[in-house]
């Protein structure tokens, strides 16, 4: 008994000691959260800068000088998002394998082939001395925060056993290059080219780019009022927030596992691939002042891609909005005179040039002569392994992209606007300070990449739209097909000049809507051709046509709209399949469904499992469960009532569309099993280290999964990545969505004091041990917004903590 008692005491002592170690370690790690109050000396400041934080840790940064304010913004960004800065720089420099190992080599090879870091360096060299000085001040603020860091580094640095790299102005400019890469469509276009080469020409029509007649255009030159929706009527937007939602805490969501992490998805942190933005004028608002809404749909990441802040530099600057940690200024937001929002322009910004090689492949054709490839050798460090040598080949036109991405045997070099000299940094800073429509449009003219649709509204009541970016001059060439080296001996001859870019001012409709839709009918194939199905744009325009007496509340309600026009248009075929199978109850429920993909919907699971199972049945046999078969393809097959794609080439018989629809409906009913959308469909803001179960339990890096509404092509969207596949994961729940609204922003342009309203799906902090890491998550689904005034006195009145940054001559400590 005595021996057992001693063992019990020893075991208890070990448990207590272990608990003390964990508690001590946890307390120590929490010291990595940097204080948001007190006094900090900052070299380089001309005068004191005040940083006031509200209850959500949204800072208002106030100084007398623009350079001082941007230096302080860099300091704040590094305080809150140091790991994010480190990750962005490693992506841009192709150094992910050094921390994540062999799995990241492919990503590093792609980035180094494109030379994003070198492109950022060339962009830095093209800036004026004054512009460069501002960006360098921001970088200096980042570095001073690193040098004066208090306590341990954030958990990611300790887990990976790395130290933060110094920041630079080149690193800030490289952030925009990552954005350009992720939103560019040339990788999808390369997949399409390879698929067209694999399948017979009879299957090509469904893969060709087109824009439907019922799709609205941003420039409002469309002639069709709407689309057939089988008798369904559009409900008003007012009141869309009325729905009971389950309580969430941003935790692990009952053990539903998120998808495995692939480092290439890190490049999706910025994609403006499916965003919404619209403005309404004085005739449609409740008080006669314009309103603007913008929600950019990106890869959902923890920490959030965005950081909300307000910047004030004397009388020169007062701007509030979302910034990207690593880059100075505000990307989307408002100042005292204007508000603006972004959506991806879907511009054809890359061309593949078919290179002619000599017999041994060492030289390429340039005009009438053979030239050796320009080469450089890159050494990629690999965690846990030996360095990998990567040889980059380039022609006079661009890097040989098929050295790292498959094209079906062709040797293709890439012409791409994302690696041109000009970028976006100076344009963003000019937009932040623009005081008139003329100044803002001039700033858009300096915005070279990434390519964006920009809508804006002013306190004087004006509404406008402008395309910002670089449209290559192609002289009639088809940008969706590879072009011979003979057509582009030295690359593109030039770009469309800024004063010829698409613009729209003061529309008679008193609204402008942009949801990645076509700019104008005569611009199809000139600006771009790879537009998504325009159901979001159609829904937004239909609602705005009847908008009257709107306030911020109605703008947010439309952002949360989950009515699927796509489902309503294709629903008759799903109903017919249910009836053929004798599933009359299912047919009646689908017939009565209003298309709202809410958490409580039992119809949404049946319809979308049916649709994506059917897409797999139609496309997988020709493509062996891989290849390019987008949503537009299955939409065309169903609208036409058949296609050569329908027959399964692996069987001796000839299948009909009805047969495949019936198989898909049987699958949908069995798989959904009467469950609601909220029981099958989730959203997760993921972190690279959150995919490691032990680390996720210790630090809760991921925020989610939690039930989420919405579906492909709804205004409040879903973009579950596995739906793009053609295997069983494309339709098998649970669906854990990794893409969606990355922020929400609504501006109220009252000339007496414009206000911005913001919210994020996670929180302001990038440290999972900080309460502000995920404190916004529980209220995200309900459309909570935080008002941010441009009056510093109002912001100081609601502050919770204040930090003072001061130059050395003022003392400190």
């Amino acid at each position: 008994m005595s021996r057992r008692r001693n063992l019990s005491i020893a075991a208890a002592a070990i448990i207590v000691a272990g608990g003390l170690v964990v508690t001590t370690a946890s307390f120590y790690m929490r010291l990595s959260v940097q204080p948001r109050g007190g006094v900090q000396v900052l070299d380089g400041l001309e005068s004191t800068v005040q940083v006031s934080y509200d209850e959500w840790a949204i800072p208002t940064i106030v100084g007398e000088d623009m350079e001082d304010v941007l230096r302080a913004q860099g300091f704040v960004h590094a305080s809150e998002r140091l790991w994010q800065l480190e990750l962005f720089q490693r992506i841009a420099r192709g150094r992910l394998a050094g921390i994540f190992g062999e799995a990241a080599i492919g990503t590093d090879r792609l980035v180094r082939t494109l030379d994003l870091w070198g492109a950022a360096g060339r962009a830095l060299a093209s800036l004026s001395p004054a512009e460069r000085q501002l960006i360098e001040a921001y970088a200096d603020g980042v570095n001073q925060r690193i040098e004066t860091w208090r306590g341990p580094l954030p958990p990611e640095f300790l887990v990976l056993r790395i130290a933060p790299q110094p920041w630079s102005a080149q690193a800030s400019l490289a952030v925009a290059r990552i954005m350009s890469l992720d939103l560019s469509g040339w990788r999808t276009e390369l997949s399409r080219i390879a698929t067209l080469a694999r399948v017979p020409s009879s299957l090509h029509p469904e893969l060709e780019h087109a824009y439907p007649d019922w799709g609205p255009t941003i420039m409002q030159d469309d002639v069709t009022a709407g689309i057939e929706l089988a008798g369904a009527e559009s409900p008003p937007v007012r009141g869309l927030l009325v729905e009971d939602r389950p309580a969430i805490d941003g935790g692990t969501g009952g053990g539903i596992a998120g998808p495995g992490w692939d480092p290439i998805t890190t490049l999706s942190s910025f994609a403006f691939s499916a965003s919404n933005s619209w403005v309404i004028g004085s005739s449609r608002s409740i008080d006669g002042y314009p309103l603007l809404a913008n929600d950019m749909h990106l890869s959902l990441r923890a920490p959030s891609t965005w950081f909300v802040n307000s910047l004030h530099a004397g009388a020169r600057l007062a701007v509030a909005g979302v910034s990207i940690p690593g880059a100075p200024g505000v990307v989307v937001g408002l100042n005292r005179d204007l508000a603006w929002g972004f959506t991806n322009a879907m511009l054809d910004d890359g061309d593949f040039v078919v290179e002619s090689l000599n017999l041994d492949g060492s030289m390429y054709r340039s005009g009438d002569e053979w030239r050796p490839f320009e080469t450089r050798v890159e050494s990629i460090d690999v965690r846990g392994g030996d360095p990998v040598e990567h040889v980059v080949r380039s022609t006079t036109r661009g890097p040989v992209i098929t050295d790292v991405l498959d094209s079906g045997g062709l040797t293709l070099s890439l012409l791409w606007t994302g690696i041109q000299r000009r970028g976006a940094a100076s344009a963003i800073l000019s937009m932040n300070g623009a005081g008139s429509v003329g100044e803002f449009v001039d700033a858009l003219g300096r915005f070279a990449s990434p390519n964006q649709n920009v809508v804006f509204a002013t306190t004087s009541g004006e509404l406008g739209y402008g395309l910002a970016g670089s449209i290559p001059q192609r002289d009639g060439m088809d940008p969706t097909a590879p072009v011979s080296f003979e057509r582009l001996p030295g690359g593109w001859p030039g770009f469309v000049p800024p004063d010829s870019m698409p613009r729209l001012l003061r529309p008679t409709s008193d609204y402008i809507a942009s949801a990645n839709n076509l700019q104008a009918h005569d611009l199809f194939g000139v600006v771009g051709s790879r537009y998504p199905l325009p159901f979001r744009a159609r829904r937004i325009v239909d609602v705005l046509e009847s908008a009257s007496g709107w306030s911020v509340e109605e703008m947010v309600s439309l952002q949360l709209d989950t009515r699927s026009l796509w489902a309503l248009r294709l629903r008759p075929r799903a109903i017919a399949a249910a009836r053929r199978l004798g599933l009359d109850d299912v047919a009646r429920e689908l017939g009565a469904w209003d298309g709202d993909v809410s958490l409580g919907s039992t119809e949404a699971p049946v319809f979308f499992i049916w649709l994506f199972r059917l897409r797999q049945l139609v496309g997988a046999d020709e493509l062996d469960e891989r290849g390019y078969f987008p949503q537009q393809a299955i939409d065309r097959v169903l609208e036409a009532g058949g296609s050569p794609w329908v027959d399964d080439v692996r069987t001796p018989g000839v299948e009909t569309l009805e047969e495949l629809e019936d198989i898909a409906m049987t699958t949908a009913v069995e798989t959904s099993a009467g469950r609601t959308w909220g029981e099958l469909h989730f959203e997760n803001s993921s972190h690279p280290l959150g995919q490691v179960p032990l680390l996720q339990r210790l630090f809760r890096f991921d925020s989610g999964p939690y039930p989420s509404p919405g579906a492909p092509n709804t205004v409040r969207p879903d973009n579950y990545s596995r739906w793009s596949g053609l295997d069983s994961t494309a339709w098998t729940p649970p669906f854990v969505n990794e893409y969606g609204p990355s922020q929400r922003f609504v501006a109220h342009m009252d000339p007496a004091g414009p206000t911005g309203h913001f919210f994020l799906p996670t929180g302001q902090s990038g440290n999972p041990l900080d309460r502000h890491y995920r404190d916004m998550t529980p209220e995200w689904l309900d459309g909570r917004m935080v008002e941010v005034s441009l009056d510093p006195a109002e912001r100081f009145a609601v502050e919770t903590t204040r930090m003072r940054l001061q130059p050395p001559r003022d003392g400190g400590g």
Side-chain angles (χ1 to χ4, degrees):
M1 291 292 293
S2 176
R3 186 167 179 267
R4 285 184 182 178
R5 184 171 179 274
N6 290 337
L7 288 174
S8 297
I9 294 173
I14 291 172
I15 292 171
V16 171
L20 288 173
V21 169
V22 171
T23 301
T24 302
S26 176
F27 176 79
Y28 173 72
M29 294 285 283
R30 289 181 186 280
L31 296 177
S32 62
V33 177
Q34 298 302 284
R36 298 185 177 95
V39 178
Q40 178 74 44
V41 175
L42 219 59
D43 291 336
L45 289 180
E46 291 295 322
S47 58
T48 298
V49 177
Q50 298 281 358
V51 183
S52 170
Y53 292 88
D54 69 6
E55 62 177 323
W56 299 100
I58 297 173
T60 296
I61 303 174
V62 181
E64 293 300 319
D65 177 79
M66 181 74 165
E67 190 174 318
D68 281 353
V69 169
L70 293 185
R71 180 174 275 106
Q73 187 190 27
F75 186 90
V76 169
H77 276 173
S79 295
E80 302 290 345
R81 302 288 186 87
L82 187 60
W83 158 249
Q84 196 171 23
L85 294 174
E86 177 69 18
L87 186 62
F88 289 170
Q89 183 167 186
R90 285 184 174 273
I91 292 170
R93 303 187 76 164
R95 293 182 173 180
L96 286 176
I99 56 174
F100 293 123
E102 185 178 351
I105 292 174
T107 304
D108 286 350
R109 292 178 73 235
L110 172 62
V111 169
R112 296 201 189 197
T113 296
L114 296 172
D115 192 22
L116 298 189
W117 188 251
R122 294 188 291 274
L124 182 63
S126 71
L127 296 179
S128 70
E131 292 168 335
R132 181 166 184 157
Q133 189 170 338
L134 291 176
I135 297 173
E136 287 178 341
Y138 172 90
D140 180 60
V142 172
N143 287 326
Q144 289 198 58
R145 171 72 289 179
I146 294 172
E147 293 163 4
T148 60
W149 193 269
R150 303 181 185 183
L153 291 168
E156 296 91 342
F157 293 92
L158 300 181
V159 169
L160 295 170
R161 301 192 303 279
I162 59 173
Q165 301 173 95
W167 198 254
S168 65
Q170 186 173 357
S172 289
L173 298 186
V175 171
R177 302 297 165 160
I178 304 172
M179 294 168 61
S180 298
L181 173 60
D182 195 58
L183 64 86
S184 175
W186 59 258
R187 284 178 291 169
T188 300
E189 197 60 46
L190 188 61
S191 176
R192 175 179 169 273
I193 290 169
T195 296
L196 289 172
R198 291 175 57 195
V199 301
S201 59
S202 61
L203 302 181
H204 287 193
E206 286 78 9
L207 303 182
E208 296 300 332
H209 297 303
Y211 196 77
D213 292 338
W214 53 262
T217 63
I218 300 173
M219 306 283 282
Q220 302 179 4
D221 66 334
D222 46 302
V223 295
T224 306
I227 56 178
E228 292 293 331
L229 296 177
E233 296 180 357
S234 295
V237 68
R238 194 183 299 271
L240 288 175
L241 289 174
V242 181
E243 180 181 3
D244 292 330
R245 302 186 187 276
I248 56 174
D249 64 1
T252 57
I256 296 171
W261 180 72
D262 178 345
I264 193 68
T265 64
T266 306
L267 299 176
S268 299
S269 298
F270 299 105
F272 299 179
S273 56
S275 304
N276 304 319
S277 194
W278 63 86
V279 287
I280 63 171
S282 58
S283 70
R284 297 184 179 276
S285 68
I286 193 169
D287 55 10
Y289 304 132
L291 293 161
L292 179 146
N294 185 208
D295 54 299
M296 294 178 283
H297 309 158
L298 319 178
S299 179
L300 298 176
R301 296 295 180 222
S304 170
T305 297
W306 304 108
F307 183 81
V308 185
N309 47 208
S310 180
L311 310 177
H312 302 259
R316 178 181 176 186
L317 180 73
V319 62
V322 294
S323 58
I324 293 181
V330 163
V331 176
V332 161
L334 75 161
N335 61 29
R336 294 190 184 100
D337 301 294
L338 298 113
W340 64 96
F342 283 173
T343 66
N344 184 10
M346 312 307 293
L347 192 143
D348 281 322
D349 60 353
D351 281 329
F352 299 104
V353 181
V354 182
E355 301 291 354
S356 176
L357 277 59
N358 65 351
L359 291 177
D360 65 4
S362 63
M363 306 182 81
Y364 70 95
R365 191 84 173 188
S366 179
D368 295 329
E369 62 180 9
W370 294 99
R371 289 190 180 183
F373 287 98
E374 295 180 23
T375 61
R376 69 177 189 275
V377 180
E378 301 270 354
S379 179
I380 301 174
D381 290 334
V382 181
R383 186 174 200 136
D386 296 327
V388 173
E389 184 178 282
H390 175 54
V391 178
V392 179
R393 298 188 298 167
S394 297
T395 72
T396 56
R397 290 163 281 274
V400 179
I401 196 65
T402 48
D403 284 349
V404 290
L405 294 175
D406 180 40
S407 67
L410 294 174
T411 299
L412 304 176
S413 59
L414 175 66
L415 269 169
W416 176 43
T417 62
I419 49 179
Q420 303 297 314
R421 180 177 294 272
R422 293 168 58 239
S426 62
I428 289 289
L429 293 177
S430 296
M431 291 164 66
N432 284 192
S436 67
V437 170
E439 291 179 359
F440 190 81
V441 171
D442 286 344
L444 292 185
R446 296 197 293 277
F447 198 114
S449 180
N451 302 287
Q452 297 293 292
N453 293 312
V454 185
V455 299
F456 56 92
T458 73
T459 52
S460 61
E462 292 190 272
L463 309 181
Y465 159 77
L467 177 59
S470 301
I471 302 178
Q473 293 177 336
R474 292 187 169 98
D475 299 330
M477 290 183 298
D478 180 5
T480 68
V483 60
S484 168
F485 71 93
E486 296 169 314
R487 293 291 305 273
L488 291 172
W492 292 312
F495 298 93
V496 173
D499 58 2
S500 297
M501 297 287 276
R503 300 278 188 265
L504 174 63
L505 295 174
R506 296 177 289 276
T508 57
S509 63
D510 210 22
Y511 71 80
I512 302 174
S514 169
N516 314 112
N517 51 319
L518 178 63
Q519 288 81 7
H521 284 295
D522 61 356
L523 294 178
F524 183 81
V526 177
V527 170
S529 53
R530 187 187 47 85
Y531 298 92
L533 290 169
F535 290 105
R536 280 181 297 111
R538 182 76 266 167
R539 173 62 173 158
I540 293 168
V541 166
D542 288 348
V543 173
L544 293 183
E545 281 286 350
S546 59
S548 178
W550 273 31
S551 65
V552 169
E553 180 184 3
E554 284 72 40
M555 299 290 276
V556 176
S557 294
L558 184 51
Q559 288 180 325
L560 298 178
D561 187 288
T562 54
R563 192 164 190 260
S564 174
L565 299 189
W566 194 24
L568 291 175
R569 190 163 75 122
L570 300 182
R571 178 179 56 173
R573 300 202 68 93
I575 294 171
R579 286 177 177 156
R580 286 193 298 270
L581 294 169
L583 300 170
D584 294 337
D585 289 345
V586 173
R588 280 193 296 271
E589 289 173 4
L590 288 173
W593 181 38
D594 65 359
D596 187 18
V597 190
S598 63
L599 295 179
S601 172
T602 55
E603 303 89 355
V606 174
F607 177 82
F608 285 104
I609 293 173
W610 171 79
L611 177 61
F612 284 96
R613 171 60 165 147
L614 179 59
R615 176 176 171 271
Q616 192 258 349
L617 290 169
V618 170
D621 54 312
E622 286 88 359
L623 299 177
D624 300 323
E625 300 191 352
R626 62 183 180 87
Y628 177 83
F629 195 73
Q631 294 176 7
Q632 290 90 331
I634 189 61
D635 184 75
R636 290 178 190 173
V637 171
L638 293 176
E639 279 295 294
S643 161
W645 281 95
V646 171
D647 178 43
D648 191 332
V649 297
R650 299 167 296 189
T651 67
V654 178
E655 286 76 15
T656 66
L657 180 58
E658 289 76 14
E659 289 173 340
L660 301 188
E661 288 174 333
D662 291 355
I663 295 171
M665 181 55 67
T666 300
T667 300
V669 172
E670 292 175 351
T671 304
S672 61
R675 290 174 290 181
T676 65
W677 192 244
E679 292 175 297
L680 298 178
H681 186 264
F682 304 86
E683 197 166 79
N684 186 57
S685 294
S686 63
H687 185 290
L689 298 181
Q691 307 308 305
V692 181
L694 176 61
L695 294 178
Q696 175 62 15
R697 285 196 297 272
L698 287 173
F699 298 107
R700 295 178 65 210
F701 284 120
D702 286 2
S703 181
Y706 48 82
S708 68
N713 305 308
T714 57
V715 178
R716 200 283 189 197
D718 163 281
N719 191 11
Y720 174 53
S721 63
R722 295 187 185 179
W723 275 338
S724 64
L726 289 171
D727 58 16
S728 61
T729 63
W731 51 266
T732 304
F735 308 118
V736 182
N737 178 32
E738 311 95 3
Y739 300 83
S742 63
Q743 47 72 240
R744 293 193 188 101
F745 162 48
V746 174
H748 178 223
M749 300 309 290
D750 183 346
T755 55
H757 305 258
F758 303 91
F759 220 61
L760 303 176
T762 53
Q764 284 281 92
S765 175
N767 191 323
L769 302 176
D770 188 343
R771 68 184 180 90
H772 292 298
Y773 183 76
R774 58 175 64 83
D775 58 336
M776 294 181 177
T777 300
E779 300 183 70
W780 168 252
L781 283 174
D782 290 324
R784 170 70 187 262
M785 300 288 272
V786 176
E787 181 178 318
V788 178
S789 168
L790 290 174
D791 183 350
E794 290 186 18
R795 296 294 293 157
F796 289 164
V798 299
E799 70 173 295
T800 57
T801 58
R802 184 181 297 188
M803 176 169 57
R804 188 168 77 249
L805 304 176
Q806 59 188 33
R809 66 173 178 268
D810 291 341

